[in-house]
Amino acid sequence: MSKLASASLWSESVPSSAAASRSARPALAARVLIVDDDATNRRLLQALLEPEGYTTQSAGSGPQAFAAIAECPPDLILLDVAMPGMDGHAVAARLKADVATCDIPIIMVTGKVDAAARLAGLEAGAEEFLTKPIDRAELWLRVRNLLRLKASSDLLRRHAELLASQVQARNADLQRFRTAMNATADAIFLVDRQTMRFVEVNTTACALLGYSREEMFERGPQNLGNVTVEQVERVFDAVIAGFSATQPSEVNLHRKDGSVVTVEIERVAQRFGDGWLIVAVVRDIGERKATERQLHRLAHYDSLTALPNRALFYETLRNNMALTAGGAMRVAVLFIDLDQFKNVNDTLGHAIGDELLLHFSARLLRCITPRDVIGRLGGDEFALMLTLGESAPGATAVAEKIRDVLRAPFDLQGHEVVVTASIGITFYPDDATDAETLLKYADIAMYRAKRAGRDAWCCFTAQMNIDAMARHDLEMALRRAVDNQEFVVYYQPKVRLSDGTVAGLEALLRWQRPGFGLVPPSAFISVMEECGLIVRVGNWVIDTVCRQIGEWMRSPLGKVQVSVNVAERQFVESDLARQVASALARHEVPAELLELELTEGSLMTNTELTLGTLQDLKQQGVTISIDDFGTGYSSLAYLRRFPIDKLKIDIAFIRDITATADDAAVTLAIIRLAHSLKLDVIAEGVETAAQLAFLRHHGCEQIQGYCFSAPLPLLQIEALLREGRTLAMPPLVRARENTLRLC
Ligand code: C2E
Ligand code: MG
Ligand code: MG
């Protein structure tokens, strides 16, 4: 290019601005592409720009320019308008049309910049114009400004891109977060502490409360229960302060439909900008609560009567004792046991037994005030706890009331049943200071009431405890005695009054207790009956006696009839008829050599069961007699109904038979009754000749007593039998005056 041409491009008109321009140089290494068909112009521009820190590239035509741009895109293009072939406008238009190059700023270099040329340049995509000759300062200024503009627009674009990618990343995070939240079975609530509104909830939270997400966002935790916003704020602030962060709390939340759900909430505080976010993880524990309640019910209440069970009764008693400790109030415990409940169960079945317990508990409830407590301890045992204040009715008054409400019969599925109860009473703090002992003493007192004849109450005394302990020791010793075979059978002869010969024997149990000598049954039979040992021992007696009869039978002594006493429980708890049959068979003894003595009591209770057993025994050929006759309450109807062979007049009537008119009258009545029922009659406990004379005179068939022989051990009774001893019979004379009158 010529110097002139160079001059036409070069202008010195604004030299003063050079210093100013230099002081604001563009960022170094900005690359400028100079597109001009005139090489001189290109060099000139190069010479002007490179000292200013720009890197330049040159292209002599449009196509060269595109090639250079493709190789290394410039930051700015100085584009000559007038070029052969493809002019500057066409080059610019194409560059702006391409997304890869459209952002490169273009300064059009033209000879003239009138309005039309400017419009054409702008339309082609130029950002700036420079007119030839080029003013150096203007070139620098325009290049620098355009590069700055480009830099800031690049920055803006990058920023926008960054923002877009950040938003995208955060959206992805949020999506992941929501997916995670929704994947849990717990409800999650995010609450802004400042606005006290939910800012995020998961689907479980919406499902739990019945609100849509949008509805949730209009609310805060204070809208979900009976709480004020201040209360919730206090809780949140405690969480933020680091207290109670991990302690789950139990809360009732109100659902949209008004129902209430019990939940467990765990809260964590999270920084959220300048404020705090409370993350609440909420778990529906309604089902767990229901199970807990159910378990509590099972653990604390009796399933039949719905009364507190033993555990809860004890707990309540302990609490009440603690409350009244040291005060003026007293606590009374009534231990209540139904009399003969077992009979109801055995004869009418367990379903009716249960019904009786249910009705009974309802009647008990009628006897107490709301502050008293009734518990079922198990079986037919109930306990009552009374708090006795100044005006409260006394414990014995309540016991009387219980007896009263039991007077009316129970209607149990058409069966009319009358039951009574035995009640033991203890007081706190008088009798004991702990619940267990108090109940134990009440039990002892109840037991005493039972022994006194049932349908009674009894207050505990210290002596009862001593007795109970002694009884316990006796029971233990008896259990050992059974294992150690410490029992032996004595035999007492029964004598025919017709000729004084031995009619048979009665087997009577003795206990050879180590260190105590020979213990009579009066000292232990009742305990064995109570604790059930009598069944085992009674069966042993039957077996021993049968074996003995068998041995005698096969000895020169021959046939000896022996009677065995059987207790009531042997009828109920063991299959007596089968026991007897197998003992007879085992020892090959004919049934007629065995007699069973039962008391009136056994006849009167469990009548159906007893009747069946007796009929079976009778069928086998066993003789049945009623022992201690006259002391019980057997009705004539029963005597006729049961297959009985013999009545044994109780020793109590015989003792004073010759001195007391009443006893003589009863004895006579029994003899006549027996005869009219075609039963034999035997008198026991006959000691004197006068008694003997009286009985003989009035037609009593047999006697048993010391007047002939006391009960003897095996060897002695065998000697007596061998000897063939007979009773020296008194002459058949009329008895004393007073008894004569009775005849
Ligand atoms: P129990 O069956 O009425 O027996 C008669 C009791 O009167 C016996 O007392 C006998 O020794 C006593 N005895 C006999 N003659 C006289 C007399 O002349 N004067 C006096 N004062 N007493 C006389 P033991 O042997 O002490 O038996 C008492 C009770 O124990 C028996 O009364 C019976 O009910 C019961 N018992 C005895 N052995 C057994 C048994 O193996 N099983 C059952 N379940 N009870 C038995
Ligand atoms: Mg007897
Ligand atoms: Mg008797």
Side-chain angles (χ1 to χ4, degrees):
M1 193 177 277
S2 65
K3 220 174 170 110
L4 192 77
S6 310
S8 68
L9 192 71
W10 182 263
S11 166
E12 294 282 328
S13 61
V14 279
S16 56
S17 66
S21 320
R22 239 181 243 119
S23 68
R25 277 183 179 179
L28 286 179
R31 211 175 5 256
V32 179
L33 174 65
I34 302 160
V35 186
D36 200 317
D37 58 321
D38 185 334
T40 312
N41 282 348
R42 293 201 297 270
R43 272 198 301 278
L44 187 67
L45 285 168
Q46 237 170 336
L48 284 174
L49 291 171
E50 282 184 355
E52 291 302 310
Y54 298 107
T55 309
T56 60
Q57 284 171 282
S58 292
S61 65
Q64 278 179 22
F66 294 128
I69 291 165
E71 198 174 306
C72 181
D75 297 306
L76 186 136
I77 300 170
L78 284 172
L79 182 59
D80 184 21
V81 174
M83 288 190 294
M86 196 176 198
D87 70 0
H89 288 140
V91 172
R94 192 163 143 190
L95 287 173
K96 291 297 171 185
D98 186 345
V99 282
T101 52
C102 66
D103 287 337
I104 305 172
I106 298 171
I107 299 175
M108 286 274 186
V109 183
T110 176
K112 54 174 178 13
V113 186
D114 56 12
R118 181 174 284 271
L119 200 64
L122 281 175
E123 210 164 296
E127 275 81 9
E128 279 292 357
F129 296 89
L130 273 174
T131 45
K132 294 176 187 173
I134 301 269
D135 180 282
R136 188 168 57 166
E138 191 187 353
L139 169 71
W140 286 336
L141 208 64
R142 291 213 187 273
V143 166
R144 193 196 63 193
N145 283 350
L146 208 52
L147 280 172
R148 270 190 189 164
L149 212 64
K150 161 107 173 21
S152 40
S153 91
D154 279 355
L155 194 70
L156 267 175
R157 200 190 64 246
R158 276 201 301 280
H159 209 259
E161 280 167 7
L162 193 71
L163 263 176
S165 80
Q166 275 178 353
V167 167
Q168 208 173 7
R170 291 191 68 161
N171 274 343
D173 277 355
L174 192 65
Q175 204 45 51
R176 269 198 298 278
F177 169 68
R178 280 196 182 141
T179 311
M181 287 225 311
N182 292 338
T184 138
D186 293 334
I188 301 174
F189 299 80
L190 270 58
V191 189
D192 184 342
R193 165 64 186 89
Q194 207 178 350
T195 61
M196 290 303 283
R197 290 286 175 102
F198 295 118
V199 289
E200 190 55 79
V201 290
N202 67 354
T203 45
T204 315
C206 296
L208 178 74
L209 298 175
Y211 289 109
S212 67
R213 276 168 62 78
E214 290 65 35
E215 286 172 324
M216 289 298 296
F217 294 148
E218 289 163 11
R219 288 168 170 76
Q222 62 280 4
N223 306 117
L224 300 180
N226 285 332
V227 277
T228 62
V229 70
E230 290 77 19
Q231 285 170 321
V232 186
E233 281 175 344
R234 266 200 297 280
V235 174
F236 284 4
D237 290 343
V239 175
I240 291 168
F243 305 121
S244 69
T246 52
Q247 294 160 5
S249 55
E250 243 179 69
V251 170
N252 283 335
L253 296 183
H254 293 203
R255 290 197 181 96
K256 188 180 177 183
D257 65 8
S259 61
V260 174
V261 56
T262 307
V263 297
E264 190 179 75
I265 304 184
E266 272 178 80
R267 301 180 188 87
V268 183
Q270 279 269 292
R271 267 245 162 252
F272 180 53
D274 291 343
W276 287 93
L277 208 59
I278 303 295
V279 182
V281 180
V282 173
R283 202 160 301 141
D284 179 356
I285 55 168
E287 211 166 288
R288 195 179 85 198
K289 286 265 122 189
T291 314
E292 274 173 16
R293 274 197 298 277
Q294 169 84 350
L295 281 176
H296 183 269
R297 245 198 319 276
L298 285 176
H300 293 86
Y301 291 88
D302 171 46
S303 54
L304 175 68
T305 59
L307 290 176
N309 66 6
R310 177 180 284 270
L312 181 59
F313 183 82
Y314 268 88
E315 198 182 308
T316 319
L317 177 60
R318 274 189 216 104
N319 292 342
N320 220 24
M321 284 163 72
L323 279 176
T324 53
M329 308 257 253
R330 290 199 309 164
V331 177
V333 172
L334 276 68
F335 196 109
I336 307 158
D337 186 286
L338 276 180
D339 297 326
Q340 313 280 13
F341 173 70
K342 202 174 172 309
N343 291 344
V344 177
N345 250 353
D346 290 344
T347 51
L348 299 176
H350 283 83
I352 291 193
D354 281 356
E355 205 179 315
L356 172 61
L357 292 174
L358 200 63
H359 288 299
F360 174 65
S361 63
R363 287 199 193 175
L364 275 185
L365 286 167
R366 302 211 308 249
C367 304
I368 59 163
T369 64
R371 68 174 177 178
D372 303 328
V373 177
I374 296 180
R376 182 176 175 211
L377 303 183
D380 61 336
E381 290 177 355
F382 293 79
L384 197 59
M385 184 191 71
L386 309 173
T387 309
L388 305 174
E390 295 282 295
S391 58
T396 54
V398 175
E400 272 305 326
K401 205 168 167 192
I402 294 171
R403 290 183 67 221
D404 265 4
V405 295
L406 289 180
R407 301 255 178 269
F410 290 93
D411 179 7
L412 308 173
Q413 297 175 23
H415 298 273
E416 204 170 78
V417 176
V418 178
V419 288
T420 55
S422 298
I423 303 167
I425 306 171
T426 41
F427 295 96
Y428 166 81
D430 316 56
D431 296 327
T433 48
D434 68 285
E436 283 73 18
T437 314
L438 210 56
L439 253 300
K440 190 177 94 184
Y441 286 173
D443 187 6
I444 290 173
M446 180 281 292
Y447 179 73
R448 185 56 67 94
K450 218 167 251 285
R451 280 180 54 186
R454 305 187 181 113
D455 188 17
W457 52 264
C458 183
C459 290
F460 175 79
T461 63
Q463 183 58 42
M464 283 182 201
N465 192 31
I466 296 167
D467 295 348
M469 285 194 304
R471 188 202 167 280
H472 176 78
D473 289 349
L474 184 60
E475 186 182 324
M476 291 301 120
L478 281 167
R479 289 190 187 279
R480 283 194 300 274
V482 173
D483 294 336
N484 300 340
Q485 301 176 346
E486 292 169 9
F487 295 105
V488 347
V489 177
Y490 272 45
Y491 296 90
Q492 187 178 32
K494 296 185 247 186
V495 179
R496 288 186 198 91
L497 288 187
S498 55
D499 57 3
T501 56
V502 173
L505 307 173
E506 176 174 10
L508 292 159
L509 192 62
R510 297 289 180 267
W511 176 19
Q512 283 175 324
R513 187 177 181 188
F516 288 80
L518 201 64
V519 184
S522 55
F524 63 87
I525 283 281
S526 59
V527 175
M528 285 211 301
E529 280 176 350
E530 280 158 18
C531 69
L533 270 179
I534 193 70
V535 177
R536 225 172 121 189
V537 176
N539 286 337
W540 174 82
V541 175
I542 292 171
D543 187 73
T544 306
V545 167
C546 287
R547 182 167 40 79
Q548 197 53 65
I549 301 171
E551 278 178 25
W552 283 332
M553 238 173 69
R554 288 177 276 279
S555 79
L557 278 180
K559 291 182 169 179
V560 182
Q561 204 215 31
V562 185
S563 63
V564 171
N565 295 282
V566 286
E568 193 181 315
R569 285 183 83 152
Q570 284 177 266
F571 279 90
V572 183
E573 286 167 44
S574 86
D575 186 349
L576 186 64
R578 199 175 53 82
Q579 288 289 343
V580 167
S582 72
L584 290 171
R586 196 163 38 248
H587 303 293
E588 296 171 4
V589 169
E592 68 268 16
L593 292 186
L594 184 68
E595 178 176 320
L596 295 183
E597 297 188 9
L598 50 129
T599 58
E600 287 172 282
S602 321
L603 280 191
M604 301 301 291
T605 49
N606 300 307
T607 45
E608 294 310 310
L609 183 88
T610 315
L611 180 62
T613 308
L614 290 183
Q615 278 165 344
D616 191 341
L617 289 165
K618 187 81 195 147
Q619 222 144 24
Q620 291 180 42
V622 176
T623 309
I624 311 287
S625 65
I626 299 188
D627 206 353
D628 307 334
F629 191 81
T631 51
Y633 303 94
S634 30
S635 74
L636 279 179
Y638 276 134
L639 286 183
R640 290 178 67 90
R641 207 168 145 215
F642 288 106
I644 298 156
D645 302 288
K646 199 187 266 183
L647 297 184
K648 279 189 98 172
I649 307 170
D650 192 72
I651 192 169
F653 304 114
I654 306 300
R655 199 172 290 129
D656 293 325
I657 198 172
T658 53
T660 313
D662 285 353
D663 290 345
V666 171
T667 305
L668 273 181
I670 294 172
I671 294 171
R672 285 187 186 144
L673 172 72
H675 289 165
S676 66
L677 291 172
K678 311 240 172 339
L679 303 176
D680 285 343
V681 64
I682 174 169
E684 62 184 359
V686 182
E687 294 180 357
T688 66
Q691 291 164 336
L692 198 58
F694 178 93
L695 291 161
R696 193 169 178 227
H697 175 77
H698 291 289
C700 181
E701 278 84 27
Q702 293 178 10
I703 62 102
Q704 183 182 339
Y706 297 166
C707 68
F708 181 66
S709 169
L712 298 172
L714 180 64
L715 289 180
Q716 289 181 33
I717 200 73
E718 282 180 339
L720 185 147
L721 292 174
R722 253 195 313 271
E723 208 178 282
R725 196 195 300 172
T726 54
L727 176 63
M729 215 64 69
L732 196 54
V733 290
R734 295 187 76 81
R736 284 190 351 219
E737 269 306 292
N738 57 346
T739 48
L740 260 180
R741 275 204 310 274
L742 288 161
C743 305

